Amino acid sequence: MMKFGSKNSTNTPIKCTIRLLDDSQLLDSEFQINEKGSSLISRICEQLDLIEKDYFGLRYVDSKRQRHWLEPSKSIFKQIRDMEADNILFSFRVKFYPPNPFRLKEDITRYQIYLQLKRDLLHGRLYCNTSEAALLGAYILQAELGDYNPEEHIDNYVNELKILLKQTLQLEEKIMDIHKNELKGKTAAEMETIFLKKACVLDTYGVDPHAVKDQRGNQLYLGINHTGILTFQGSKKMNHFSWSQVQKINFEGKMFIIHIILNEDQRIKKKQTIGFKCPRGSSCRHVWKCAVEQMLFFTFPSSSDVPNVVSGGGFFSWGTKFKYSGRVEREILEDVTITRESPTVTRVGSLRRKSSSEPPTPSNLVINQVAGFNSLPRSLTNTSEEYNASIDSSNQIDNSSVLETLLEDQEIMTSKNFTTVTDSSPLIQSISNQMSGQKHLETTAIRNSGSSLSFLRQTLLPVIFALFMIVLIVIIVLESDFDIIATIRKAPEIAAFKKNYYEPSKDFLLRRFIRSKIF
């Protein structure tokens, strides 16, 4: 298997697969090692006939199960270099949810927003109460199944379909009642319009929840969209910090920090700093990048006005620099160059039955355990302390599994897990168990080596750098001729240090390394 960085991979195009929003379609593509992310994103949008491409992005999961957006201005190779070259999967997703989908210029763009929101509803990210969920579910039924037909739609026909994260019998009956009695004659395009009007005013519209904890250790979910930064505890929205209130966003280690200004009075402005603890430093960096991008995209008048942003640095660590790439929303809305006739929207019915599995990913895309991907079910890879929140299920949809952190790589593993289960031969199972054990050992060795490199990078190198700086400062103080430093050098403590420690060490080094070479 070819690895990134090998001699054979220098000039060879790297093949990748793009999973689209309805999950039933896969696009095969390729890129060069030196190619930037923007080129691949543009190519995918071109294949989908999308001109308003700035709202979309490609997302991937790294070997440590951390999600990332493919950055347009950076080399693709530098962003995914720890992944196997034969197993590259990107997911085409809406990155910036437009505040008003009806200000978009083309129906084909709105259709992609509809597919994303339908997906958000299914996975619990588009959170809503029971009545709203019933309406949205009925809109989807009408758009994809058409008018109610008593000969085709028998008994509880909704029960077999995947529409909502948790479909109770009561909720399914309500969906069927609305579909049967209130939506007759509505076309797919009309239902998508009604669906978008309803979805875009919900609090969780455009929110991709991130698991965090507040200063008291309470489990929260942090959401970021065009309105600002929101926090949820279970099903309840706790805070909403609008972008006009946010003065600065940064992070330190696992702490995501928001600096806000509260207008308590017309004359009095109160500054406040609020911190949230993320599960890992990498997830905190991801939250920070998402927040910065959303803020810049929706608040700046022009991309030329967007500054470079740095955060996360300290005395013993380098900061993370983020450079925004692409247009901002105002530039997109004011663009008058789109003059083509709006292309025809090809609608694909993507409602899946509960008994059906995810669409199989090609066999060459099955992620090897050695690459660091985990094939365990999501419920076993995420601890309840970090990712589960209690939901009041009496009048709300159960939204306890709102995170999609591992969804992309879990979908890849579906075909692999199915094959393992169906191979009932004892010999095949024996060989499979041996291979699994070998892969587990290899994975453990790779993770241990990664931990060693992480220790060197995070601990040893900063210590060496600090010692070097201390030695440099000592030399400057004791050897320079500046008047200010000369005054400091006359202090009794400095003079004693120079006589007892610095001069003997200096003479030893001169004799050992300089004079020995001369003679």
Side-chain angles (χ1 to χ4, degrees):
M1 186 176 291
M2 183 177 65
K3 286 273 192 176
F4 281 129
S6 64
K7 294 182 180 179
N8 295 330
S9 67
T10 305
N11 299 317
T12 304
I14 305 300
K15 293 184 178 181
C16 64
T17 298
I18 314 297
R19 187 182 292 278
L20 301 183
L21 281 166
D22 59 4
D23 275 338
S24 64
Q25 289 183 298
L26 298 172
L27 293 181
D28 293 324
S29 189
E30 60 182 28
F31 59 89
Q32 299 290 337
I33 283 185
N34 296 325
E35 190 172 348
K36 292 186 177 181
S38 58
S39 178
L40 180 60
I41 296 172
S42 297
R43 202 154 55 243
I44 301 305
C45 289
E46 185 177 340
Q47 286 185 261
L48 296 175
D49 205 11
L50 292 171
I51 292 181
E52 297 169 289
K53 60 184 180 181
D54 303 85
Y55 293 98
F56 304 93
L58 294 177
R59 198 170 62 196
Y60 66 95
V61 182
D62 66 16
S63 60
K64 296 180 181 178
R65 304 194 304 276
Q66 175 61 50
R67 284 186 305 169
H68 301 274
W69 286 105
L70 188 68
E71 294 191 33
S73 61
K74 291 185 178 181
S75 164
I76 301 175
F77 160 70
K78 291 183 179 179
Q79 299 181 63
I80 60 172
R81 64 172 66 194
D82 64 333
M83 299 170 63
E84 293 286 348
D86 298 332
N87 299 321
I88 305 303
L89 175 69
F90 294 106
S91 297
F92 180 78
R93 299 289 181 259
V94 175
K95 188 175 184 180
F96 303 107
Y97 290 70
N100 183 358
F102 300 98
R103 295 190 68 186
L104 297 172
K105 294 180 173 60
E106 297 194 329
D107 291 336
I108 194 170
T109 312
R110 269 186 292 274
Y111 178 66
Q112 294 295 327
I113 304 296
Y114 163 76
L115 290 178
Q116 177 70 70
L117 290 171
K118 189 175 68 169
R119 180 185 177 86
D120 292 346
L121 186 66
L122 173 61
H123 292 286
R125 292 188 299 276
L126 187 62
Y127 183 82
C128 52
N129 60 37
T130 303
S131 59
E132 292 169 333
L135 281 172
L136 294 175
Y139 296 159
I140 294 174
L141 274 186
Q142 181 68 21
E144 305 217 5
L145 301 183
D147 290 341
Y148 172 79
N149 186 340
E151 296 180 358
E152 295 181 6
H153 306 140
I154 304 172
D155 298 328
N156 187 356
Y157 58 95
V158 179
N159 181 259
E160 299 179 349
L161 303 175
K162 292 182 177 181
I163 301 177
L164 304 170
L165 180 65
K166 295 292 183 179
Q167 295 182 195
T168 63
L169 179 60
Q170 181 183 3
L171 186 56
E172 290 172 347
E173 290 176 349
K174 201 168 184 179
I175 291 174
M176 289 187 293
D177 182 65
I178 297 173
H179 178 222
K180 178 180 178 180
N181 300 315
E182 300 181 20
L183 304 177
K184 186 176 180 179
K186 299 288 185 181
T187 65
E190 290 174 329
M191 295 317 305
E192 289 164 11
T193 299
I194 298 174
F195 181 94
L196 288 175
K197 287 181 179 179
K198 184 70 176 176
C200 70
V201 297
L202 296 175
D203 287 336
T204 51
Y205 171 72
V207 166
D208 188 10
H210 306 273
V212 297
K213 290 183 179 180
D214 63 13
Q215 59 183 358
R216 298 179 181 177
N218 298 321
Q219 181 67 52
L220 302 175
Y221 289 104
L222 194 72
I224 307 160
N225 63 10
H226 66 278
T227 64
I229 300 174
L230 305 93
T231 60
F232 298 87
Q233 187 171 33
S235 61
K236 184 180 179 182
K237 184 175 76 170
M238 303 298 292
N239 299 102
H240 179 205
F241 309 111
S242 65
W243 291 130
S244 60
Q245 294 176 319
V246 177
Q247 183 184 29
K248 181 182 177 183
I249 306 170
N250 67 311
F251 75 96
E252 292 291 341
K254 297 181 181 180
M255 290 298 298
F256 175 70
I257 305 168
I258 310 171
H259 304 263
I260 62 173
I261 298 178
L262 300 176
N263 294 325
E264 297 183 347
D265 196 340
Q266 293 182 352
R267 299 180 180 179
I268 302 174
K269 291 185 178 182
K270 181 181 178 182
K271 293 185 178 181
Q272 189 173 354
T273 302
I274 303 173
F276 300 95
K277 187 176 181 180
C278 300
R280 299 178 303 277
S282 58
S283 60
C284 187
R285 190 182 302 110
H286 175 66
V287 173
W288 173 76
K289 281 187 176 182
C290 290
V292 169
E293 274 194 295
Q294 294 284 329
M295 183 178 184
L296 298 178
F297 182 83
F298 288 112
T299 61
F300 271 74
S302 172
S303 56
S304 60
D305 298 327
V306 174
N308 292 338
V309 184
V310 180
S311 182
F315 186 76
F316 293 106
S317 62
W318 298 105
T320 298
K321 184 177 181 180
F322 177 77
K323 183 178 181 181
Y324 183 82
S325 176
R327 298 187 296 176
V328 297
E329 188 200 25
R330 184 176 296 184
E331 291 175 322
I332 301 168
L333 296 177
E334 295 175 353
D335 186 4
V336 295
T337 60
I338 300 179
T339 57
R340 71 172 183 175
E341 184 178 351
S342 184
T344 303
V345 178
T346 303
R347 291 174 171 83
V348 180
S350 57
L351 279 180
R352 298 193 298 273
R353 298 186 180 275
K354 291 181 181 179
S355 59
S356 65
S357 61
E358 296 287 344
T361 305
S363 58
N364 64 329
L365 285 172
V366 175
I367 299 298
N368 194 312
Q369 279 279 26
V370 178
F373 284 83
N374 195 324
S375 62
L376 292 175
R378 184 167 29 169
S379 59
L380 298 181
T381 55
N382 294 340
T383 61
S384 59
E385 180 183 2
E386 291 180 345
Y387 298 105
N388 292 329
S390 60
I391 306 290
D392 181 8
S393 60
S394 60
N395 61 349
Q396 303 283 353
I397 302 170
D398 185 355
N399 198 29
S400 59
S401 301
V402 293
L403 292 183
E404 196 193 8
T405 306
L406 298 180
L407 180 61
E408 310 301 346
D409 64 344
Q410 293 305 317
E411 289 173 347
I412 303 170
M413 298 306 301
T414 302
S415 59
K416 179 180 179 181
N417 293 338
F418 179 77
T419 303
T420 304
V421 172
T422 55
D423 288 337
S424 58
S425 168
L427 178 60
I428 293 178
Q429 289 182 355
S430 175
I431 294 174
S432 176
N433 291 337
Q434 292 178 8
M435 292 177 65
S436 299
Q438 182 180 0
K439 288 179 179 179
H440 175 73
L441 293 175
E442 292 174 348
T443 305
T444 303
I446 289 177
R447 287 178 177 172
N448 289 339
S449 63
S451 300
S452 301
L453 292 175
S454 178
F455 172 77
L456 290 175
R457 183 169 59 252
Q458 298 181 7
T459 306
L460 189 56
L461 292 180
V463 169
I464 294 175
F465 177 75
L467 291 175
F468 172 78
M469 292 300 298
I470 292 173
V471 172
L472 183 62
I473 292 172
V474 169
I475 293 174
I476 292 174
V477 170
L478 298 180
E479 298 290 345
S480 62
D481 295 329
F482 295 107
D483 295 337
I484 298 177
I485 297 179
T487 304
I488 297 174
R489 203 160 44 235
K490 292 179 181 179
E493 295 83 358
I494 302 297
F497 173 80
K498 181 177 181 181
K499 180 179 180 182
N500 297 329
Y501 298 101
Y502 179 75
E503 292 293 349
S505 300
K506 178 180 175 182
D507 292 339
F508 170 77
L509 293 175
L510 288 174
R511 290 195 306 270
R512 182 69 177 82
F513 296 103
I514 306 298
R515 295 175 183 174
S516 60
K517 293 182 180 181
I518 297 176
F519 297 102

